[in-house]
Amino acid sequence: MADRQAKIYVLDSTVFLEGYVSLFANKPSATTFQVVEEIRSGQPKLQLEAALRSGWLAQTQPSAESVKKVAGLRGQTQEKLSTADLSVIALAIDLKDKGKAVVVVSDDYHVQNLCKIIGIEYLAVSKGGIEKKFSWRRKCRGCGRLVREEVCPFCGSETVFVPGEI
Ligand SMILES: [Zn+2]
């Protein structure tokens, strides 16, 4: 397992619309042009633009091949996916094919479900997903300290997520 490899978070529209984008600040993250197009106004748009400017969020175009693949699966599974949703999953497939550790972040049940079918890791934004995950910390496997980093700043060991109650 390449568990030390930094994860790339692929953010869908719900992350921006529900105001969760700041949770990913300075984590390698990506979204698609189609999602960017969907976020047209207000605070979500300002936050999206700020994230793009600061460089930790990339906007990119998924390959036509992956888009086709997801569109085909959508047909088979009858999932209701918008073009933007579809592009997010396609981008995740592209990154995964390049050997990256990818996590799709979405509050959309249909997106999550399709990720499950394809075998792509996903994280729910609310409803006990991200809120739970990000309200807590990570625990160092080495020294046991609670930290926010993936690698412990005190002893350099790997850290693991600690759920909610902290
Ligand atoms: Zn440590």
Side-chain angles (χ1 to χ4, degrees), residues 85-152:
D85 295 338
L86 197 147
S87 71
V88 163
I89 300 174
L91 176 60
I93 293 175
D94 284 346
L95 293 168
K96 201 180 172 190
D97 285 350
K98 286 178 188 155
K100 310 281 188 191
V102 189
V103 182
V104 169
V105 186
S106 174
D107 214 15
D108 185 311
Y109 168 77
H110 301 288
V111 171
Q112 296 167 7
N113 201 35
L114 203 51
C115 286
K116 206 183 283 177
I117 290 167
I118 300 172
I120 286 178
E121 195 182 333
Y122 65 88
L123 190 57
V125 183
S126 57
K127 297 168 195 134
I130 263 192
E131 279 179 342
K132 223 177 190 172
K133 274 203 156 181
F134 281 105
S135 62
W136 33 249
R137 306 276 169 111
R138 302 176 70 98
K139 186 171 182 163
C140 175
R141 280 186 166 163
C143 67
R145 284 186 174 91
L146 293 172
V147 297
R148 289 209 173 271
E149 292 80 357
E150 289 189 340
V151 173
C152 176

Side-chain angles (χ1 to χ4, degrees), residues 2-162:
D3 56 3
R4 282 202 167 244
Q5 191 183 0
K7 286 188 167 147
I8 298 182
Y9 294 93
V10 179
L11 311 183
D12 94 339
S13 312
T14 55
V15 177
F16 300 100
L17 294 173
E18 293 171 24
Y20 287 98
V21 66
S22 59
L23 294 174
F24 297 91
N26 303 319
K27 300 184 199 301
S29 304
T31 193
T32 64
F33 290 111
Q34 289 86 346
V35 167
V36 173
E37 246 170 57
E38 254 192 16
I39 313 298
R40 284 164 196 263
S41 59
Q43 202 62 22
K45 187 168 173 66
L46 294 177
Q47 289 176 345
L48 171 58
E49 284 171 349
L52 290 170
R53 268 198 311 274
S54 43
W56 57 264
L57 178 69
Q59 59 177 333
T60 177
Q61 180 73 38
S63 70
E65 196 183 320
S66 293
V67 170
K68 215 175 191 177
K69 188 172 167 187
V70 181
L73 283 166
R74 171 178 62 175
Q76 282 171 38
T77 58
Q78 308 288 318
E79 295 291 358
K80 293 182 185 127
L81 296 176
S82 69
T83 309
D85 295 338
L86 197 147
S87 71
V88 163
I89 300 174
L91 176 60
I93 293 175
D94 284 346
L95 293 168
K96 201 180 172 190
D97 285 350
K98 286 178 188 155
K100 310 281 188 191
V102 189
V103 182
V104 169
V105 186
S106 174
D107 214 15
D108 185 311
Y109 168 77
H110 301 288
V111 171
Q112 296 167 7
N113 201 35
L114 203 51
C115 286
K116 206 183 283 177
I117 290 167
I118 300 172
I120 286 178
E121 195 182 333
Y122 65 88
L123 190 57
V125 183
S126 57
K127 297 168 195 134
I130 263 192
E131 279 179 342
K132 223 177 190 172
K133 274 203 156 181
F134 281 105
S135 62
W136 33 249
R137 306 276 169 111
R138 302 176 70 98
K139 186 171 182 163
C140 175
R141 280 186 166 163
C143 67
R145 284 186 174 91
L146 293 172
V147 297
R148 289 209 173 271
E149 292 80 357
E150 289 189 340
V151 173
C152 176
F154 298 99
C155 74
S157 302
E158 191 187 356
T159 63
V160 292
F161 284 130
V162 186

